[in-house]
Amino acid sequence: MRRNARSTVLTTLIASGALALTACGGGSSFDEEPTGDATSGGDSGDPGAPLTVLIGSSGDAETDAVTAAVAAWSEESGVEARAQAASDLNQELAQGFAAGNPPDIFYTSTDLIAGYVAAGSLYPYGDQLTNVDDVYPALIDTFTIDDQLYCAPTNFSTLALVINTDSWAAAGLTDADIPTDWESLAAAAQALTTDQQVGLSFGPEYQRIGAFMAEAGGAIIGEDGTTAVVDSPENLEALTFVKEMLANDTLKYPSEIGAGWGGEAFGSGGAAMTVEGNWINGALQNDFPDISYEVVEMPEGSAGKGTMLYTNCWGIAQDSQNKEGAVSLVEHLTSKDVQVALLEAYGVMPSVQSARDDFFEVYPEQGAFLEGGEYGVGLPTVQGANDVIADFNGQLEGLETTDPQTILSSVQTNMQALLDSQG
Amino acid sequence: MSTGVGQRETASRQAADARRENRAARSAGRQRLMTVIVYVALIVIASIYIYPFLVNLATSLKSEPEAAASPIALIPYNWTTEAYQNLFTRSDFPLWFRNSVFVTLVVTVGRVFVNSLAGYALARLQFRGRAAVFAFLVAVMAVPGVVLLIPRFLVLNQIGLYDTFAGMMIPLMADAAGIFIMKNFFESIPRSVEEAARIDGAGHFRTYWSIVLPMATPALITLVILSFNGSWNELSHFIVASQDPQLVTLTKGVAQLASGGLGQGSQYPLKLGAAAIMTIPVAVMFFIFQKRIINVTAGAVKE
Amino acid sequence: MSNGSSAPARTSPVRSQRKPSRGSGIRGHEAAAGWLFISPMIVILGLFLVIPILMAAWVSVSDWSGRGSPLASTVGFVGAEHYGELTLGGGLATQDFGTALRNNAWYVLLVVPTQTVLSLFLATLVNRQVLKGRGFFRTAFFFPSVTSSVAITVLFLFLFSASGAVNAALARLSINGPNWFSDSRGVVHILLGAVGVDQAPGFLTANGFMALSWWQWLSGPSVAMSVFIIMAIFTTSGTFMLLFIAALQAVSGEVEEAALVDGCSGWQRFWFVTLPMVRPTIFTVFTLGLIGCWQVFDQIYTGTQGGPAKTTLTPAYLSYQASFESAQWGRGAAVAFILFGIIVVMTVIQRLVLRERDTVPKRKRFVFSERSGESGTRPGAQL
């Protein structure tokens, strides 16, 4: 009997010990309620706490530039701050949020911001920024949700056509042949395609093909914001055009020529032209310095000009221990001088209008990127849209052997279902 | 014994002998042919199995253009250790290696300790609920690892062990298979040894630690090998248990490399060099302890 | 008790009679020691196996958004919403899950039988008595099983790249190899295309299951998935070969000789005598293969991350992706549990089938067998 009692006691002790262990460590976060209200001054935490900045980098150029900017602020302010490039930004953010310990500042993309806001993960500090008036209005709109500006836009990029001038000349083409519409694009790609090099290459994704869709007059979501317009004759026209070029072998996806993305395909000489954004400057400077290239606006489609517009913003985590410091750091990172430094490092365009001339100073021949800012189309910002786009991209990988109508119909269904579930 | 019948008998017996000899010769010939065929088949298949690893080694010593141009060649035209140099200077490979070694050593020691304790208790100690614990262990073995991916992350969060070495190591320290191996071995040790120790006044832990455990060396070695392999090659748990670049192990780091970590180019020599270095410790372990590993693998199922 | 014999101590009734007499002198505190010894294991397994499963079960029926604790009071109960979305919803979630199931089902279908047959074949070859260098061959076949899945995946990424070793070898045979890891065409579709069936028949595209048409279900593994299938067979056949060698060696030599004396040819001997006797091992290999194949994750994570065109997406990877990339924790947990269910069901079915064809104890095999159809030998034959 004694032994039984003792063993029972022991069992209880061990079991409760295990439970206590569970409860202890998580005690503080057990009943944590995400503070959804937007009081800015209230709980800004400890102004001296160290800050982490997490970015999804396009390459060494970007990482080094951001690290330098953060270090400069850190020295000036005396607050420890560290920048880090994520190997998988979405995953690390998801893990950080779940752990209650996300980075203080991080890139927030247009397709994921709605989800973060809904989960209460973002701290809206837009009203604390001093240079809001200088920022392009379109960018401010993108990051304003429910009439609150959640974060400061970092910079923006657009897509343009990048041409290898050596291959251009070798094919006997001149300035007059620079593509201004789809026919001339197809013709140029045809002329540039040789045994060693394909005329055109870009990634099989909406983030590139969307430019053609915009040029034909198509879109993903209608004006009213509640109808999906993916399945339209305009989009079909765009996809059919791309499919034709794939069939002629004048267009190849980067994976087919052994490259990871369009910039690599272009830089390694596998393709004579590519459709890419500003970031290609940094990549080419660092990794493929021997390529001489020029940048021209995307050719016009039947509805005129069109391109894709990309922007990020500096999200500050609601769970940050030092919101005051974070806002100050973001102000520094979006200031004109720092943005111009980033511009010089890897070519992205500053979000502030006052830096427009600086852009032309550094890249006088790349006005095409800047022009794209006028008519560029961004990714849908509806929560959950990134899954639909990811599925769209998956289908686009097989565009060469699939009927474009099938692809558009399926994306239409998915997108409409998503919009319906929001309303 | 008369010549007529005897001769006929001898003749028929000789004929039968001759037929049997012919048949034997033919079947011996057929047997030899079979053996040759078997040898050829084995050599061909073994080459298919070995070739990829040779290509791995060879490609890691080629330059990138050569790797792309002549992927099959087993002897590089121009030997170069460029890939290895890049691996060590331009990525965090040394850090990953150190982390892997650290984690593997700690997990192995921990596992040996936890599993042998539990195995001894289940084999030799009587306590209420022993059968229940045993049934629990059997049930545990049925849970597929992949189901635990998300939940373990959630629990590590709650306990506060997320993004720490402890969080990476502790969950790996108990595994039902190891406990069974130790339990089976302990059961085969004669009780007289323990009883003698107990008569001499040794407590349970003393008995376990000083008497029985040293006798269990073969099983311990088996456990060490299995733990080493298991934790050195572990990937999914490390993915969810941490995200700090300082805690990345070889598996996670090389997986990141493979999905395009370093930016430009496919850089196959570099990636293959990483894969080669990753494989060396387990290969060494394998070749030293071959017999034991093979016995354990074959016998483990007959439990 | 002083003679050191352990035989009496094994039967519990005798034991419990002895206990009170020994009291606390020698075997005292045994229960305490017992619980103490197993406490580390209980804590670790309880904490990192039982509690996670319970927590994941809760997350899969809750609307936890990924921030803070899932046990907080703000997290609500949504019942089977996630499970419904995945199986009956019909939207993108169902489509993804259906695609993952299809991909993994083809993977299992092709890997498990092939690796069983291949490992049995290798085992019979390596097991022959007259073989020299048996150890070398055994080592060669088993070595891939010891290496890390990450290392092997990286290696195969190279071998099967567009300009890799495999395509170079095929080029020598004047075959234009596909761009393996980027090719999303289904193998069955390719084969059908080769015999002229280019378009999907109407009735197959009109109806479907889980948001995929029957034509899509029948597409077979994609070319990219086929590389993973080859990789799986490459790395696991060695392990199973060892199991078969052990089983083959357990088949008594006398049995084989008896069969030889009875005049069975080599093939008959194998098919009717050896094979039935290793049947338990075959079922074991099958079960282990099934359980392993439904969990494939590491290779997908390292290699293709579900692409091209989601043809290498598996439920395990989908679970990870939904939770860690899209922050849809409820859905990810639901996928994990459905997968758990699938594996358990498969294992139970395997166990049931195994129990039906009970292995006849060795000594009975030398007795007149009434079930003449069982092993194909003539009734009354002494095996």
Side-chain angles (χ1 to χ4, degrees):
Chain A
M1 281 321 278
R2 229 170 28 126
R3 213 169 285 126
N4 288 345
R6 198 183 292 130
S7 65
T8 323
V9 168
L10 259 174
T11 322
T12 328
L13 273 179
I14 292 171
S16 47
L19 280 174
L21 203 56
T22 322
C24 267
S28 57
S29 53
F30 252 171
D31 277 319
E32 176 188 315
E33 299 192 10
T35 47
D37 54 318
T39 49
S40 36
D43 51 348
S44 41
D46 166 23
L51 296 171
T52 22
V53 180
L54 190 67
I55 63 171
S57 176
S58 60
D60 286 340
E62 184 174 348
T63 316
D64 294 338
V66 174
T67 310
V70 171
W73 178 87
S74 187
E75 254 191 65
E76 237 185 82
S77 66
V79 177
E80 212 183 296
R82 192 176 57 118
Q84 202 174 297
S87 53
D88 187 335
L89 183 65
N90 291 350
Q91 177 196 334
E92 296 185 28
L93 283 178
Q95 283 179 288
F97 287 135
N101 185 19
D104 299 277
I105 304 173
F106 46 90
Y107 274 177
T108 305
S109 56
T110 49
D111 52 347
L112 290 176
I113 186 172
Y116 293 152
V117 168
S121 310
L122 282 185
Y123 168 59
Y125 61 94
D127 47 350
Q128 297 179 49
L129 292 169
T130 53
N131 59 356
V132 175
D133 296 324
D134 195 10
V135 180
Y136 290 97
L139 301 179
I140 296 284
D141 283 339
T142 315
F143 297 113
T144 304
I145 300 184
D146 292 338
D147 294 327
Q148 262 189 333
L149 176 62
Y150 269 84
C151 49
T154 55
N155 43 48
F156 73 104
S157 321
T158 57
L159 294 180
L161 190 63
V162 188
I163 302 176
N164 185 330
T165 43
D166 292 329
S167 310
W168 190 260
L173 298 167
T174 66
D175 280 349
D177 301 308
I178 294 208
T180 48
D181 60 7
W182 287 7
E183 279 103 64
S184 41
L185 177 65
Q190 180 80 46
L192 288 165
T193 303
T194 64
D195 283 335
Q196 286 83 35
Q197 196 179 53
V198 74
L200 178 60
S201 178
F202 53 79
E205 42 186 357
Y206 171 69
Q207 284 88 339
R208 300 288 178 272
I209 297 185
F212 292 98
M213 288 163 66
E215 288 158 22
I220 297 280
I221 303 184
E223 295 283 333
D224 58 356
T226 54
T227 334
V229 293
V230 183
D231 190 357
S232 64
E234 293 85 18
N235 286 338
L236 185 61
E237 190 189 331
L239 286 193
T240 313
F241 172 65
V242 174
K243 182 177 168 149
E244 266 166 29
M245 290 196 58
L246 282 172
N248 292 341
D249 279 340
T250 50
L251 163 67
K252 282 197 181 154
Y253 291 144
S255 60
E256 292 176 60
I257 43 185
W261 60 297
E264 191 187 330
F266 181 76
S268 62
M273 296 192 289
T274 184
V275 173
E276 277 294 337
N278 300 58
W279 52 79
I280 197 178
N281 284 310
L284 290 178
Q285 269 168 30
N286 267 16
D287 305 329
F288 305 104
D290 301 325
I291 302 274
S292 48
Y293 59 99
E294 67 174 317
V295 174
V296 301
E297 273 183 83
M298 290 289 292
E300 289 185 43
S302 42
K305 297 189 182 183
T307 187
M308 300 294 293
L309 177 76
Y310 295 106
T311 180
N312 270 330
C313 81
W314 296 107
I316 292 184
Q318 190 69 261
D319 295 328
S320 168
Q321 303 290 335
N322 184 2
K323 296 196 187 59
E324 202 182 294
V327 175
S328 165
L329 177 50
V330 168
E331 283 251 20
H332 170 83
L333 290 169
T334 51
S335 66
K336 175 159 172 272
D337 296 326
V338 172
Q339 291 221 38
V340 172
L342 295 176
L343 157 70
E344 284 165 0
Y346 66 107
V348 281
M349 298 179 286
S351 58
V352 288
Q353 303 182 52
S354 52
R356 200 185 151 94
D357 293 328
D358 296 86
F359 180 79
F360 280 109
E361 261 181 54
V362 179
Y363 294 106
E365 271 129 44
Q366 296 191 2
F369 284 128
L370 206 52
E371 300 307 323
E374 311 279 325
Y375 51 83
V377 165
L379 293 171
T381 54
V382 177
Q383 183 183 0
N386 58 322
D387 283 333
V388 177
I389 298 291
D391 180 72
F392 189 15
N393 292 350
Q395 297 193 54
L396 285 173
E397 287 181 42
L399 179 59
E400 195 171 345
T401 49
T402 323
D403 177 20
Q405 182 61 56
T406 327
I407 301 180
L408 290 174
S409 308
S410 106
V411 179
Q412 167 81 17
T413 319
N414 292 334
M415 199 69 210
Q416 191 61 59
L418 179 69
L419 290 170
D420 290 340
S421 72
Q422 301 284 319
Chain B
M1 223 81 62
S2 64
T3 46
V5 175
Q7 271 174 353
R8 247 180 291 131
E9 280 180 2
T10 323
S12 69
R13 209 180 306 131
Q14 276 173 349
D17 278 341
R19 274 201 305 278
R20 209 178 302 124
E21 269 174 34
N22 273 346
R23 211 184 312 131
R26 245 181 293 135
S27 100
R30 223 178 312 136
Q31 274 223 342
R32 232 174 286 137
L33 185 62
M34 270 305 288
T35 314
V36 166
I37 294 181
V38 165
Y39 263 113
V40 167
L42 276 177
I43 292 179
V44 167
I45 301 179
S47 316
I48 298 181
Y49 271 74
I50 300 179
Y51 178 74
F53 299 104
L54 296 177
V55 164
N56 190 345
L57 214 47
T59 312
S60 67
L61 294 169
K62 291 180 188 166
S63 64
E64 267 185 57
E66 195 189 334
S70 54
I72 322 186
L74 281 184
I75 317 276
Y77 197 65
N78 284 324
W79 295 80
T80 169
T81 53
E82 189 185 308
Y84 289 102
Q85 285 166 16
N86 281 344
L87 190 62
F88 279 90
T89 52
R90 296 187 57 220
S91 72
D92 280 330
F93 195 79
L95 173 70
W96 303 338
F97 197 86
R98 280 201 308 272
N99 284 344
S100 269
V101 169
F102 177 58
V103 169
T104 302
L105 283 180
V106 175
V107 169
T108 304
V109 168
R111 241 196 227 189
V112 165
F113 189 63
V114 171
N115 287 356
S116 57
L117 263 183
Y120 182 69
L122 286 175
R124 281 287 178 263
L125 300 179
Q126 278 291 80
F127 51 94
R128 270 185 63 161
R130 190 169 107 160
V133 170
F134 195 80
F136 168 66
L137 271 183
V138 173
V140 158
M141 287 186 80
V143 176
V146 73
V147 176
L148 295 173
L149 216 57
I150 298 173
R152 272 209 185 135
F153 164 70
L154 298 175
V155 170
L156 283 176
N157 260 348
Q158 291 303 303
I159 304 182
L161 285 182
Y162 175 69
D163 230 6
T164 61
F165 269 119
M168 288 163 67
M169 298 190 294
I170 297 181
L172 296 180
M173 281 194 194
D175 76 298
I179 297 176
F180 279 126
I181 292 178
M182 294 310 296
K183 168 176 166 302
N184 287 339
F185 190 86
F186 285 131
E187 274 171 353
S188 71
I189 293 183
R191 283 172 184 275
S192 51
V193 173
E194 295 165 56
E195 298 203 357
R198 215 101 5 84
I199 292 174
D200 281 341
H204 287 289
F205 190 73
R206 258 313 289 293
T207 316
Y208 154 77
W209 184 257
S210 321
I211 315 287
V212 177
L213 201 55
M215 293 177 68
T217 320
L220 284 181
I221 296 184
T222 307
L223 203 54
V224 164
I225 296 168
L226 288 178
S227 306
F228 184 87
N229 269 5
S231 43
W232 186 265
N233 292 341
E234 175 67 45
L235 175 67
S236 47
H237 178 65
F238 294 151
I239 293 175
V240 304
S242 70
Q243 67 182 59
D244 191 345
Q246 295 299 310
L247 297 178
V248 171
T249 57
L250 269 182
T251 42
K252 202 167 152 192
V254 176
Q256 277 171 13
L257 264 187
S259 36
L262 279 189
Q264 82 276 24
S266 314
Q267 296 184 301
Y268 281 122
L270 190 140
K271 293 179 191 169
L272 290 179
I277 297 185
M278 236 178 107
T279 314
I280 290 178
V282 281
V284 164
M285 270 285 211
F286 173 69
F287 285 117
I288 298 180
F289 294 106
Q290 231 183 98
K291 277 231 157 37
R292 191 174 300 282
I293 295 178
I294 287 178
N295 284 341
V296 162
T297 316
V301 184
K302 295 197 216 142
E303 118 273 347
Chain C
M1 130 178 116
S2 54
N3 64 4
S5 154
S6 55
R10 283 199 194 274
T11 52
S12 27
V14 181
R15 237 205 181 169
S16 52
Q17 280 171 22
R18 283 172 162 235
K19 265 190 211 162
S21 70
R22 288 191 229 168
S24 59
I26 296 168
R27 284 199 168 274
H29 313 293
E30 192 169 327
W35 279 103
L36 200 62
F37 278 25
I38 64 169
S39 55
M41 170 201 95
I42 297 271
V43 167
I44 294 181
L45 284 180
L47 214 47
F48 294 110
L49 206 127
V50 176
I51 295 186
I53 296 185
L54 295 176
M55 203 180 262
W58 163 243
V59 168
S60 73
V61 293
S62 76
D63 62 358
W64 183 55
S65 62
R67 191 164 160 264
S69 163
L71 300 174
S73 47
T74 50
V75 179
F77 178 73
V78 294
E81 183 184 311
H82 296 299
Y83 291 95
E85 250 177 26
L86 285 171
T87 47
L88 307 167
L92 193 53
T94 317
Q95 200 176 315
D96 283 348
F97 190 53
T99 309
L101 282 180
R102 176 202 66 182
N103 294 340
N104 211 339
W106 280 105
Y107 180 85
V108 170
L109 200 64
L110 287 178
V111 170
V112 175
T114 315
Q115 81 187 8
T116 310
V117 167
L118 180 64
S119 39
L120 182 56
F121 175 67
L122 290 177
T124 48
L125 285 185
V126 172
N127 196 39
R128 294 168 77 87
Q129 271 90 349
V130 292
L131 209 55
K132 290 221 183 73
R134 196 196 300 184
F136 166 75
F137 288 116
R138 220 177 34 190
T139 307
F141 297 139
F142 184 56
F143 183 70
S145 315
V146 176
T147 55
S148 147
S149 55
V150 173
I152 296 275
T153 309
V154 169
L155 179 57
F156 270 64
L157 280 173
F158 168 69
L159 290 176
F160 282 88
S161 62
S163 51
V166 170
N167 276 354
L170 289 177
R172 294 261 176 95
L173 303 172
S174 331
I175 306 178
N176 212 4
N179 189 354
W180 296 91
F181 279 109
S182 307
D183 199 330
S184 59
R185 296 173 300 162
V187 163
V188 171
H189 284 176
I190 297 178
L191 290 176
L192 286 178
V195 293
V197 182
D198 276 330
Q199 288 295 8
F203 67 94
L204 282 183
T205 41
N207 308 308
F209 175 61
M210 289 190 77
L212 286 179
S213 71
W214 289 118
W215 177 247
Q216 285 175 301
W217 277 97
L218 293 175
S219 70
S222 70
V223 177
M225 196 52 152
S226 310
V227 180
F228 285 118
I229 291 176
I230 297 176
M231 197 191 309
I233 299 175
F234 180 70
T235 47
T236 52
S237 48
T239 321
F240 294 140
M241 174 193 77
L242 293 184
L243 292 184
F244 278 126
I245 291 181
L248 286 175
Q249 283 175 346
V251 173
S252 134
E254 295 174 358
V255 168
E256 300 251 347
E257 271 188 42
L260 201 61
V261 161
D262 272 347
C264 296
S265 73
W267 177 247
Q268 278 180 325
R269 211 169 60 236
F270 178 77
W271 190 255
F272 295 120
V273 177
T274 320
L275 208 54
M277 293 184 80
V278 299
R279 199 179 271 149
T281 316
I282 296 182
F283 276 111
T284 306
V285 166
F286 233 76
T287 312
L288 290 178
L290 269 185
I291 297 179
C293 282
W294 275 104
Q295 297 186 54
V296 59
F297 172 82
D298 289 2
Q299 296 85 334
I300 311 289
Y301 177 85
T302 314
T304 52
Q305 293 94 40
K310 293 191 182 168
T311 52
T312 59
L313 189 64
T314 61
Y317 190 74
L318 181 63
S319 167
Y320 161 81
Q321 204 180 43
S323 304
F324 288 89
E325 305 264 350
S326 311
Q328 309 232 2
W329 297 91
R331 188 183 293 177
V335 171
F337 272 100
I338 299 181
L339 184 59
F340 190 0
I342 292 177
I343 295 178
V344 165
V345 163
M346 294 251 154
T347 315
V348 164
I349 293 179
Q350 271 289 306
R351 287 278 162 87
L352 280 179
V353 173
L354 172 59
R355 215 178 296 145
E356 299 248 42
R357 311 186 194 195
D358 230 329
T359 52
V360 185
K362 276 206 167 95
R363 53 185 166 77
K364 279 209 190 141
R365 292 199 188 104
F366 292 88
V367 164
F368 186 104
S369 164
E370 265 142 288
R371 303 196 295 204
S372 58
E374 236 266 272
S375 58
T377 50
R378 303 188 311 279
Q382 278 202 333
L383 292 177

